Amino acid sequence: MIKLNKLFTALLLSTTTILGTASAGTVMYVSPQASDNGTAYLSFSIDRKVSPNVLYVEAADHESDEMREIYENGDPSLKFLGQIPQVNHTFAYIKTEYGVINENSLMLGLCENTSAFKVNSKPSEKAILSLQEITKLTLERCVKAADAIALIGQMIDTYGYYGSPATLVVADKEEGFVIELMPGITRAGGYHVARKIPQGHFFVAADQFRIQTVDKNDSDFIFNENLVSRMKQEEIAQLTSGNLNWQRSVKGTEIRPYYSLRRVWRALSNVAPSKNYSPWVSGWATTAYPFSVMPDRKVSLLDLISLTRDTYTGTQFDNATKGTGGLFATPYTHENYGERSIANENTTYTFISQANKLTPSAITWLSLGPSGEGTYVPLCVDKIPSVYADTSRTEYDERKMWWLSKRISYLTVGYYSSLSDMLKTRVLEQEQHSLTLINHSKGLPKERFNRVIANNSRTAFNRMQKLYENLLEKHDGGYMLRYAEGHNPKFIPVDSYKKHEVVHVDKEKEKAEAETQVKTEPNSSAKKGGIPFYNAIGLEKMPDKIDMNVFSKIISTTSEYLKKQNENEKKNK
């Protein structure tokens, strides 16, 4: 019988940490005083597989005794969780899985965060509100951002919060706030802390909590007066100079080092390069990056659009310049290879909402698919144009912008260095056309303005269809394509009839690495023909604690690993 080694026994007996997982996305806010024309901008992306369908919810009046039904994840097709009192009037708004913007130009943007705590991810009698439902309730009931922050806090305290830890940005025409939500840890309920974003500032969050020390004497912080005592009672409170350190208390880690902080560094450095922020920090709870920053110059809509498409070009973190870029220097990577940039190939949609007193209707700009290959098209808070409405992710429909955007993305990303310049030029032309159209039409009555903007979505679709055709023409079956400079594969001439062995590049690399390891580590496992246990299950080093995903991987691979070790031992004998 094979004996488990001490290392594996220790792993089995160790205390595991179950992470509250995040879904990737980046949220950025430009306050009206920081923008070039007094408009507030709020962008957020959902970089995971969700429905791309966009819906318009009409305003409505309600009876005094009417109740608002609550469903799991805000989806009426899922489990019914309970009811809360309805208000007399609900506002019109645009939504996807989450609420985006309402008719009052109240805007929401979000990212879902990670915590090292095991959180209440499922609903219960004491926790019936999800992030999806909270965003919709907020837009249905609020005009001002400050009122929305108060409402969100009251709802969580009354009805409880479950699901993902999250950073939610709420903004109107004058001001913006960040409210961070944490499901219950030791019991159902939930925690929340809000902070006002200073006027004239820019804010960014990327799948990690951004509020750190909560100054109880600063009116810009908004939280339940029982928050600190409750966290102390549950033995999770972390204090800094007598104040609650929110981020440390909720253990707001990253998915992996720099998964979040690199995007925060990039966005802050882009708008305020004079600050010279370092891309390197001491750990996930670093104070190297401020909560928000005043930009070096005013930020325009096109500046923010460009930032949502950023892939670290010109920095040491640009994936396109490395092996991950492939033969055509694509800036994207798969399976967590390389750096996680702001732009991402897995993006389902990105919204940039705007709030000002210049246009007769509330407006949000929508890009479907990866923002680098999609085009931002403005939508009014009104009936959704047909190219965006009734979209299915599982049933192809050539009439929908989602599927057109995916065709463009697949073609361009596959041959990035050859096709991306044409795409970038044409997409920017369309976005500038839309921006000019808004500026020329802002004096129109609301209904006519809405029709003009809706018709523009069809124009954008037709132009993107023509772009796709032109990209295919340029590709021309690969006839004139050239690999990106510096990315050419090794040239192996076929100039002889003599049989010769073709060795795969990866095999040559593996052989060289093995020989190097034997030379530098005479007693290493490479010389013995084995590998360390933690390498066998895909870990670079043995962690102090492991989450359930790693634990499951250990269990599933142990039998196979030990079998291979036995075989190696027999061969060595």
Side-chain angles (χ1 to χ4, degrees):
M1 181 178 178
I2 302 170
K3 293 183 178 180
L4 295 178
N5 60 35
K6 293 181 180 179
L7 177 60
F8 181 57
T9 302
L11 280 171
L12 285 175
L13 297 176
S14 66
T15 301
T16 60
T17 299
I18 306 174
L19 296 179
T21 56
S23 92
T26 307
V27 55
M28 294 180 282
Y29 170 71
V30 180
S31 67
Q33 299 82 6
S35 76
D36 64 338
N37 63 359
T39 297
Y41 296 110
L42 178 56
S43 75
F44 77 100
S45 62
I46 298 296
D47 304 335
R48 61 181 172 91
K49 187 176 181 178
V50 297
S51 171
N53 198 33
V54 184
L55 299 169
Y56 169 67
V57 180
E58 295 183 350
D61 293 318
H62 305 278
E63 300 295 332
S64 58
D65 59 348
E66 193 171 332
M67 301 295 287
R68 166 65 152 83
E69 295 182 340
I70 304 297
Y71 295 91
E72 186 173 1
N73 294 336
D75 185 347
S77 68
L78 299 179
K79 184 179 179 181
F80 171 75
L81 300 179
Q83 296 178 325
I84 66 174
Q86 183 59 281
V87 293
N88 293 332
H89 180 79
T90 51
F91 300 110
Y93 64 100
I94 286 178
K95 70 171 185 175
T96 53
E97 180 182 2
Y98 305 96
V100 179
I101 184 173
N102 73 10
E103 61 181 290
N104 306 303
S105 294
L106 181 65
M107 311 178 290
L108 302 182
L110 58 97
C111 63
E112 296 179 57
N113 303 333
T114 297
S115 170
F117 278 119
K118 178 182 178 181
V119 300
N120 291 314
S121 60
K122 298 296 183 181
S124 66
E125 290 184 1
K126 295 183 178 180
I128 65 171
L129 295 181
S130 63
L131 181 60
Q132 294 92 328
E133 199 75 273
I134 284 174
T135 60
K136 296 167 189 174
L137 286 165
T138 300
L139 294 181
E140 288 172 6
R141 300 176 176 218
C142 295
V143 176
K144 294 292 186 180
D147 295 334
I149 294 297
L151 175 67
I152 293 170
Q154 291 168 4
M155 289 193 299
I156 291 175
D157 292 339
T158 304
Y159 303 109
Y161 175 65
Y162 72 91
S164 298
T167 294
L168 179 61
V169 181
V170 185
D172 56 32
K173 298 173 184 178
E174 287 84 29
E175 57 186 357
F177 295 81
V178 174
I179 183 166
E180 297 194 318
L181 315 179
M182 182 71 180
I185 298 171
T186 63
R187 60 188 181 189
Y191 314 86
H192 55 90
V193 169
R195 183 177 179 181
K196 185 177 180 180
I197 302 171
Q199 292 186 349
H201 275 223
F202 168 88
F203 171 84
V204 58
D207 305 317
Q208 186 187 24
F209 288 108
R210 293 281 284 121
I211 296 176
Q212 295 184 322
T213 301
V214 179
D215 188 345
K216 57 181 178 288
N217 297 317
D218 188 340
S219 60
D220 283 349
F221 291 91
I222 305 165
F223 54 96
N224 187 303
E225 60 181 8
N226 297 321
L227 175 66
V228 177
S229 61
R230 180 183 168 192
M231 284 189 155
K232 285 182 177 180
Q233 182 181 2
E234 298 180 30
E235 299 182 346
I236 61 174
Q238 298 288 322
L239 302 181
T240 301
S241 301
N243 288 316
L244 180 73
N245 189 310
W246 166 256
Q247 188 185 51
R248 287 189 177 276
S249 295
V250 297
K251 294 187 178 180
T253 59
E254 300 183 82
I255 291 178
R256 56 181 169 85
Y258 297 107
Y259 182 85
S260 300
L261 289 170
R262 187 76 76 223
R263 283 177 279 161
V264 171
W265 162 77
R266 180 59 167 172
L268 294 176
S269 298
N270 185 285
V271 301
S274 65
K275 302 296 184 183
N276 293 317
Y277 296 117
S278 172
W280 306 107
V281 296
S282 58
W284 60 266
T286 181
T287 57
Y289 305 136
F291 172 72
S292 60
V293 68
M294 182 176 291
D296 288 355
R297 62 179 181 83
K298 299 295 185 180
V299 180
S300 69
L301 173 63
L302 294 180
D303 291 333
L304 186 56
I305 286 176
S306 177
L307 191 50
T308 67
R309 291 171 171 154
D310 189 85
T311 56
Y312 304 143
T313 301
T315 75
Q316 60 185 301
F317 310 114
D318 183 359
N319 291 308
T321 63
K322 302 177 176 62
T324 51
L327 299 176
F328 293 93
T330 176
Y332 305 117
T333 64
H334 298 279
E335 298 181 358
N336 289 330
Y337 284 92
E339 296 283 348
R340 165 59 165 100
S341 59
I342 295 173
N344 186 272
E345 192 178 5
N346 296 320
T347 299
T348 295
Y349 53 75
T350 308
F351 282 97
I352 301 181
S353 298
Q354 64 177 62
N356 59 37
K357 299 177 182 179
L358 304 176
T359 58
S361 281
I363 292 175
T364 188
W365 296 68
L366 171 61
S367 170
L368 291 176
S371 57
E373 288 70 56
T375 182
Y376 283 95
V377 178
L379 301 175
C380 293
V381 179
D382 199 355
K383 183 179 178 180
I384 303 299
S386 61
V387 295
Y388 291 102
D390 302 318
T391 299
S392 169
R393 186 168 183 142
T394 58
E395 296 181 8
Y396 179 78
D397 189 340
E398 64 180 7
R399 301 168 299 172
K400 302 302 179 182
M401 183 68 89
W402 163 255
W403 289 107
L404 176 56
S405 296
K406 297 304 286 184
R407 294 202 303 273
I408 293 172
S409 175
Y410 293 152
L411 179 59
T412 307
V413 171
Y415 304 95
Y416 196 83
S417 58
S418 293
L419 302 181
S420 61
D421 286 346
M422 173 188 285
L423 179 141
K424 292 175 183 178
T425 298
R426 300 279 284 279
V427 163
L428 182 59
E429 288 175 354
Q430 172 55 37
E431 289 163 351
Q432 288 177 326
H433 168 79
S434 296
L435 186 58
T436 300
L437 182 66
I438 289 176
N439 290 332
H440 287 172
S441 306
K442 59 189 178 184
L444 296 175
K446 182 176 180 178
E447 290 186 4
R448 187 177 174 190
F449 177 84
N450 290 0
R451 286 198 300 271
V452 169
I453 301 306
N455 290 337
N456 178 64
S457 66
R458 170 53 63 180
T459 301
F461 181 88
N462 292 338
R463 290 187 175 187
M464 291 304 100
Q465 178 63 44
K466 185 62 178 179
L467 169 62
Y468 178 65
E469 295 166 1
N470 293 155
L471 290 170
L472 284 174
E473 292 166 353
K474 184 173 182 179
H475 181 276
D476 193 19
Y479 180 70
M480 293 300 292
L481 292 182
R482 296 294 179 267
Y483 297 124
E485 184 177 353
H487 289 251
N488 290 343
K490 181 179 179 181
F491 179 68
I492 304 176
V494 182
D495 54 3
S496 172
Y497 288 100
K498 184 177 179 181
K499 180 180 179 181
H500 63 280
E501 182 182 1
V502 178
V503 181
H504 195 279
V505 176
D506 287 348
K507 296 296 182 182
E508 291 180 338
K509 182 180 179 182
E510 289 174 5
K511 182 179 179 182
E513 289 176 348
E515 291 175 350
T516 301
Q517 188 174 7
V518 170
K519 291 178 182 178
T520 57
E521 303 177 33
N523 297 319
S524 70
S525 58
K527 185 176 181 179
K528 298 176 183 178
I531 58 175
F533 177 76
Y534 50 84
N535 281 353
I537 62 170
L539 300 178
E540 295 181 358
K541 63 179 182 178
M542 183 56 60
D544 295 330
K545 292 184 179 181
I546 53 177
D547 63 29
M548 285 305 295
N549 291 329
V550 175
F551 186 78
S552 298
K553 195 171 186 180
I554 291 172
I555 297 300
S556 64
T557 57
T558 300
S559 177
E560 182 181 352
Y561 170 75
L562 294 175
K563 182 179 178 181
K564 288 183 179 179
Q565 287 290 77
N566 272 346
E567 292 174 353
N568 289 334
E569 288 177 6
K570 290 179 181 179
K571 289 180 182 179
N572 291 335
K573 289 179 181 179

